[in-house]
Amino acid sequence: MKKRFSSLIEIQKEISNGSLILPDLVDYYLSQINMHQNLNAFLEVFEDEARKKSIEIQSKLNAGTAGKLAGMVIALKDNIVYKDHRSSASSKILEGFESLFSATVVERLLAEDAIIIGRTNCDEFAMGASNENSAFGPVLNAQDPSRVPGGSSGGSAVAVQADMCLASLGSDTGGSIRQPAAFTGIYGMYPTYGAISRWGLIAFASSFDQIGPFTSSVSDMALILNVISGVDDHDASMSQNGSLNIQLEPTQKSLKIAYIKDCIEHEGLDPEIKKATLQYLEVLKSKGHTIHEISFPYLDQMVPTYQILTTAEASSNLSRFSGLTYGNRSANAKDLESTFKNTRSEGFGEEVKRRIMLGTFVLTSDFYDAYYTKAQKVRQIIRTETLEILKQYDIIVTPTTSTVAFKIGEKSNNPIAMYLADLFTVQSNLAGIPALSIPYTHHSENGMPIGIQLMGRPFEEELLLSLAQD
Ligand code: GLN
């Protein structure tokens, strides 16, 4: 088996006409993982388990009793828990931790007979934009291993990019699915906030975090979202709207598509990405959609607002890692205070500590109003204004990122430059709206992929995906 499958439809077709069996497919992906070990995408591979499952599910397929995702081999970002399996959020502080339960998304994947092949490397606690913040070393971009794959879900992106599995799950707080999807040339989506249960996702910033898929096709994206979405009593922040029910059909009507002038004209935007975005808009126009230039004058406020609010939430969420309940405890823990201090000092990496300190600072009584309250107000404005635009236009188009995948080490000593990698992606997290990164058909001159972002109204994932498929 040498061929690369780009969708479950293709795989299921070959299985049903007898030219492929699931155990061979799993072996293929395992050999790919083995061959690409240098990319450091996987922290653990569930080899025996995946093989065993492939035999079980093949029998179900033969008997006609298999679930919707039979044939899908999928990887999980290391911050999504799976019962009786380790999860570390790529942090030393969770070394040796095994979960007692599975995330809701994992239960739903398994119930439809997906095969989980392993857990993927990421930035520690999902904080980063390059996957250089993992306690287990950086992930490399398969297209050019001297470059980053983006972050924080870099391992999940590279796993799909290098054909080590058909699809994967990541988490996105400010761009962590879409940015690596753009850097690796695949599809990645931040679903509407409240569409997917966060139960079993190790929390970074709870009012922003969503789990979402990486895929090589629009059809797989739709399928996985349909399976993992929907009300879950374990997550009180969920919308009561029910599951997504995405049906991919050609977009019938002419859509009103807006592009944000302030993004396209931003001085930090790589000219090749600008050109690609404008070309993409021309393609949409040629398909009968109308294109409108709009202004959104909050671009410079978005990353600071995002940073203040997410670090505040992180400082609270990460207080549970104290050496008492989960994972590692420092060998120098003598009493309660030294347990907390030493476990956290030794267990967390530099970026995580920086964010906990910043978040704690903005929540202190002296600075709360100046930073936290103000940022909440700005978030509200951004949300309201974004939804206002979406009353007039069906879809907003921006580049996903302002640069292509950068060199390893290029930004690692410059947190501000790294935070600006999220310039175009944080808007949807601040507003809670769905956003999809699609791979542009042409790569940049140096061969690196370019991503285009489509943002839409809450729960209009179907429209974004239908447009992407046209
Ligand atoms: N790069 C962003 C950050 O560092 C986004 C992270 C994410 O979406 N998890 O916060």
Side-chain angles (χ1 to χ4, degrees):
M1 218 203 80
K2 288 217 179 55
K3 165 175 158 199
R4 179 181 180 132
F5 291 103
S6 61
S7 73
L8 184 61
I9 299 172
E10 272 180 49
I11 290 174
Q12 287 181 339
K13 209 179 276 167
E14 295 220 357
I15 290 180
S16 69
N17 71 22
S19 51
L20 175 70
I21 55 165
L22 201 41
D24 286 352
L25 182 69
V26 165
D27 278 343
Y28 165 75
Y29 286 128
L30 289 170
S31 70
Q32 288 285 103
I33 294 174
N34 203 26
M35 197 166 84
H36 291 298
Q37 277 183 38
N38 64 312
L39 302 176
N40 203 20
F42 279 84
L43 293 180
E44 190 181 357
V45 184
F46 309 140
E47 197 170 328
D48 295 340
E49 203 180 304
R51 285 211 170 93
K52 209 169 129 232
K53 274 269 181 190
S54 70
I55 298 169
E56 265 171 50
I57 296 169
Q58 181 63 52
S59 315
K60 284 194 185 179
L61 281 160
N62 297 344
T65 56
K68 280 194 211 102
L69 298 184
M72 168 136 332
V73 178
I74 194 164
L76 298 178
K77 184 175 180 179
D78 190 36
N79 61 355
I80 299 172
V81 303
Y82 182 8
K83 189 174 187 315
D84 299 330
H85 291 71
R86 298 207 318 254
S87 285
S88 74
S90 291
S91 180
K92 277 201 305 212
I93 211 163
L94 276 173
E95 216 163 11
F97 167 75
E98 260 188 28
S99 183
L100 297 173
F101 67 98
S102 287
T104 300
V105 293
V106 169
E107 280 181 357
R108 291 181 179 172
L109 290 176
L110 294 174
E112 292 295 346
D113 288 330
I115 294 177
I116 297 175
I117 198 157
R119 60 185 171 99
T120 55
N121 201 350
C122 57
D123 281 307
E124 186 178 3
F125 286 102
M127 296 175 186
S130 67
N131 220 129
E132 292 167 290
N133 296 337
S134 164
F136 305 103
V139 178
L140 315 183
N141 194 312
Q143 179 79 29
D144 172 355
S146 71
R147 292 176 188 269
V148 303
S152 64
S153 319
S156 289
V158 171
V160 175
Q161 178 193 29
D163 205 22
M164 297 188 256
C165 48
L166 182 66
S168 60
L169 293 185
S171 67
D172 190 314
T173 306
S176 277
I177 294 176
R178 290 157 289 153
Q179 189 245 21
F183 281 8
T184 56
I186 58 177
Y187 293 91
M189 183 150 203
Y190 175 72
T192 307
Y193 184 83
I196 315 275
S197 171
R198 290 181 295 109
W199 176 251
L201 170 67
I202 298 174
F204 164 10
S206 311
S207 76
F208 294 75
D209 298 340
Q210 279 289 276
I211 293 170
F214 287 97
T215 63
S216 299
S217 68
V218 171
S219 59
D220 284 350
M221 179 68 73
L223 191 59
I224 297 172
L225 287 172
N226 286 347
V227 168
I228 64 175
S229 62
V231 183
D232 174 16
D233 289 342
H234 289 305
D235 178 354
S237 64
M238 288 207 73
S239 152
Q240 298 302 306
N241 267 3
S243 306
L244 293 170
N245 180 18
I246 303 167
Q247 308 289 339
L248 290 176
E249 268 156 34
T251 42
Q252 300 290 355
K253 57 172 192 158
S254 158
L255 298 174
K256 282 179 82 179
I257 294 174
Y259 71 92
I260 302 178
K261 176 169 154 261
D262 314 70
C263 294
I264 292 288
E265 282 170 8
H266 198 275
E267 53 177 16
L269 179 63
D270 175 334
E272 280 190 288
I273 300 183
K274 177 175 178 174
K275 199 168 131 208
T277 312
L278 293 171
Q279 273 170 357
Y280 178 71
L281 288 164
E282 281 304 314
V283 172
L284 293 179
K285 199 165 158 190
S286 71
K287 290 184 175 162
H289 305 295
T290 59
I291 309 297
H292 309 264
E293 183 182 274
I294 58 162
S295 156
F296 189 76
Y298 306 100
L299 206 55
D300 292 339
Q301 280 72 46
M302 285 200 283
V303 170
T305 306
Y306 165 82
Q307 282 293 335
I308 290 170
L309 296 176
T310 55
T311 52
E313 292 187 26
S315 80
S316 162
N317 275 328
L318 271 60
S319 64
R320 59 168 69 89
F321 303 106
S322 59
L324 294 187
T325 326
Y326 309 100
N328 239 346
R329 176 176 306 165
S330 164
N332 303 315
K334 294 189 192 67
D335 49 23
L336 200 57
E337 194 175 330
S338 64
T339 303
F340 288 174
K341 247 191 197 161
N342 295 332
T343 302
R344 289 167 71 78
S345 303
E346 293 160 22
F348 288 133
E350 219 177 285
E351 180 62 26
V352 175
K353 286 184 201 162
R354 179 166 29 239
R355 302 225 190 173
I356 292 174
M357 286 190 280
L358 184 62
T360 307
F361 172 76
V362 300
L363 290 175
T364 50
S365 54
D366 282 354
F367 295 98
Y368 189 90
D369 280 343
Y371 292 103
Y372 186 74
T373 310
K374 195 165 177 188
Q376 288 287 21
K377 288 182 182 157
V378 179
R379 181 183 196 181
Q380 196 50 47
I381 294 171
I382 291 170
R383 183 176 159 75
T384 311
E385 294 291 315
T386 303
L387 293 174
E388 205 50 49
I389 295 172
L390 288 166
K391 277 188 191 149
Q392 290 179 56
Y393 304 98
D394 298 303
I395 283 174
I396 304 172
V397 173
T398 72
T400 307
T401 56
S402 53
T403 67
V404 294
F406 43 88
K407 293 274 186 188
I408 290 176
E410 194 180 316
K411 299 190 183 179
S412 40
N413 293 323
N414 186 348
I416 304 286
M418 192 69 92
Y419 298 164
L420 287 174
D422 308 317
L423 191 60
F424 303 140
T425 48
V426 292
Q427 183 174 0
S428 64
N429 307 71
L430 286 161
I433 57 167
L436 170 70
S437 179
I438 61 176
Y440 187 60
T441 33
H442 302 295
H443 287 192
S444 77
E445 250 169 44
N446 59 13
M448 298 315 291
I450 291 174
I452 309 273
Q453 177 174 245
L454 310 180
M455 294 187 275
R457 302 180 192 109
F459 293 96
E460 290 200 354
E461 278 79 357
E462 181 174 278
L463 191 64
L464 302 185
L465 290 166
S466 298
L467 184 68
Q469 195 176 40
D470 274 355

